[in-house]
Amino acid sequence: MAAGSAIQIPSRLPLLLTHEGVLLPGSTMRTSVDSPRNMQLVRSRLLKGTSLKSTIIGVIPNTSDPTSDCDDLPSLHRIGTAALAVQVVGSNWPKPHYTLLVTGLCRFQILQLLKEKPYPVAEVEQLDRLEQFTNQHKSEEELGELSEQFYKYAVQLVEMLDMSVPAVAKLRRLLDNLPREALPDILTSIIRTSNQEKLQILDAVRLEERFKMTIPLLVRQIEGLKLLQKTRKPKQDDDKRVVAIRPTRRINHIASNTEDEEEEEDHDDVVMLEKKIRTSSMSEQALKICLKEIKRLKKMPQSMPEYALTRNYLELMVELPWNKSTKDRLEIRAARILLDNDHYAMEKLKKRVLEYLAVRQLKNNLKGPILCFVGPPGVGKTSVGRSIAKTLGREFHRIALGGVCDQSDIRGHRRTYVGSMPGRIINGLKTVGVNNPVFLLDEVDKLGKSLQGDPAAALLEVLDPEQNHSFTDHYLNVAFDLSQVLFIATANTTATIPPALLDRMEIIQVPGYTQEEKIEIAHRHLIPKQLEQHGLTPQQIQIPQVTTLDIITRYTREAGVRSLDRKLGAICRAVAVKVAEGQHKETKPDRAEVGEEDCKEHVTEDAKPESISDTADLALPPEMPILIDFHALKDILGPPMYEAEVSERLSQPGVAIGLAWTPLGGEIMFVEASRMDGEGQLTLTGQLGDVMKESAHLAISWLRSNAKRYQLTNASGSFDLLDNTDIHLHFPAGAVTKDGPSAGVTIVTCLASLFSGRLVCSDVAMTGEITLRGLVLPVGGIKDKVLAAHRAGLKRVIIPRRNEKDLEEIAVNVRQDLTFVMASCLDEVLNAAFDGGFAVKPRAEQLTSKL
């Protein structure tokens, strides 16, 4: 297209109806499209068009598009602006809509509306010629005095603005380069005007009308800028004066106003912070970074967000205990007494702590050990960590890791993030104020994993003695020495701890308590604690050891002592009610004396029998202490929750007792079997895992292969145990998932009882893995399983012979109460499980190998 030639718009234009603003030729406007007809125009015309002509649309101002396709179009504004669609952006939030960027080309007049759906199209007439703005030649025709006046006001307005701004300088150049006839529309769209005023400019088709209507708008804008400059000038002078005076006041110590005092205080705080940094005992690398940050802080305005972040970082660096530590108490005899007073049993833990103290006496720079206490809930893993800190004379800090699934909780956030903060390790050191505390990492087996990283992997650096001397928190970004920290982790099981993390810790098993240990713990620690919490004294309540044993055996069944503690608390609350009621009724007759005599006599007569009954209820001092016996237990705690049901459940063939290990301690497990006519199928129920199902198939296979030897037959007398017979094995507590190989011997005994018709001894429990050859292999968790059998009142326990070494960990009194049968094959298991042994048909003479 040649320069200076006119640009003709199409005679038919699709119409975009808008009421948000007024688009003038030469200006640009961004408008939102969400009505049906306008949306259809964008989709059908702008998005699918391939030519430049398809991007030219007619923008009709002051007209709203109906919200429904069924509604008729409103009356259209007579004059519109032909526009070029420069950009189309779509979005679905909060509802589907498009955002258009359009540039005005020229005015047009609607001659006739050709169609309304799917979008309006009209026949238009171009009202003014559109010359290319890139044309550098001015029109030879002068517009006269009106044009010159407009140009003068436009230049005056632009020069009142800051010419250093690139947009203002560009506008000044445009005033000289653009044709004069284009300036009224462009400047009207730039200055502050209302939509109604812009609409009037759009309707002014003749150029002289446009100049006459635009000049008052320019004059109004100029006067507004002059008034604004007058109001701003004194303030700028004041600012310059303050900037010039403040340094003088600081030098000459002249009293300043409130703002100056605040700045002086902030300046003094920064100076004090720098002094603390220089006098702190942090490492050279940390000191170098802190001095660099303090220099940046001095140059930074306080209004900047980074000012507060930098200051918080420097304050944290100063507060960290880089070289501050506590002195350990290394008297082994005093430590042993303190540990024995705080905790009963737990010999392994106490032994390990005393060993650490002994080595510390010989070597001062010993690195802190990393211990992991593994055991069921309620056995005192967390409380013993606090006792260890007390024994060593160190500060104690507990970090709960249960449910943590973000590695930033361990390593902290980088300071580039909003709301960044150090990890729990550094926060803990800041809290205790020393670099050699005892850190208890509670529930380390319950760490999670998410998109934010794996905290268990972040702990690898913390719990590695070869790496934690230079632990780097993301927030600090400086190495910190954790080698003097004594880390103690607690867990209920090691199955969920990653192997790499487990390898860095020294595992110490904390098994469940025996009944005797629970009685001692109750009378040494739990009962005195509950009496103190409930405001009672030993002169008001007495709980004998027999009653404590009843609570342990009939109201609780656990490895720890938490339920026992709650039951003792319930007893103390019931006694507190009786004591409080007794004191209230003792003082009641005294208050009745204030009333009239006849009323007093009536009250006294009624009060006497109540006080007698209260004496029977142990409320008066002569009846103290209140003795808690079995009848009192039944009234307070209700009927017993657990009964000795072993003999009842073994009253028919096909039932045996096994021993299982759980994270909560050992448990006894009943195995029940029944047979019925069928097709030789084996049914297993009770939420069994794959290993336990395989043990059941092993057991039935071994019994079928040895049926003649043990004279085992099905209901029809056949030695083929599955001939026309279905077997159902069930493990009660069906809601609990069970797995593991240790139920093998129990399943064999249960099925042998079913097919022989003989009862298994009701006081026998067993555990062990089996093979097809009838061997009994060792299993784990022997101590917890034996304690479970002891709690259940069983007398004999059958265990694999290769597990005999594990019995040394069991208390002597428990071993004395139980009889252990060591079995290396299933023959020995069956002989021990049935009264009088299990009859075996003599085998034929075996061939001996000559090799």
Side-chain angles (χ1 to χ4, degrees), residues 25 236 321 402 469 559 636 640 756 783:
Q236 292 175 355
H469 61 84
I636 298 171
S756 66
K783 181 175 182 180

Side-chain angles (χ1 to χ4, degrees), residues 513-515 518 552-554 556-558 642-647 657-659 666-670 762-765 784-797 814 818:
Y513 296 116
T514 63
Q515 291 182 0
K518 288 184 179 179
I552 293 170
T553 55
R554 309 187 71 179
T556 66
R557 185 164 289 177
E558 58 175 348
Y642 305 100
E643 296 290 346
E645 57 178 355
V646 175
S647 59
I657 303 175
L659 296 174
E667 294 288 342
I668 63 170
M669 177 178 61
F670 292 91
S762 60
D763 62 347
V764 174
D784 290 324
K785 294 176 180 179
V786 170
L787 292 179
H790 186 259
R791 285 196 301 268
L794 301 174
K795 299 301 180 184
R796 282 190 295 164
V797 179
V814 175
L818 296 174

Side-chain angles (χ1 to χ4, degrees), residues 569-599:
I571 293 171
C572 290
R573 289 193 297 272
V575 172
V577 171
K578 291 294 183 183
V579 173
E581 286 180 349
Q583 293 175 352
H584 174 71
K585 289 172 183 176
E586 283 182 51
T587 59
K588 190 173 181 180
D590 297 335
R591 293 197 302 271
E593 292 176 3
V594 180
E596 297 179 359
E597 290 184 353
D598 55 349
C599 181

Side-chain angles (χ1 to χ4, degrees), residues 344 513-522 545 549 552 787 790 811 813-814 817:
Y344 184 75
Y513 296 116
T514 63
Q515 291 182 0
E516 290 75 14
E517 289 173 343
K518 288 184 179 179
I519 293 173
E520 286 294 328
I521 291 171
Q545 291 194 357
L549 181 60
I552 293 170
L787 292 179
H790 186 259
N813 56 339
V814 175
D817 292 343

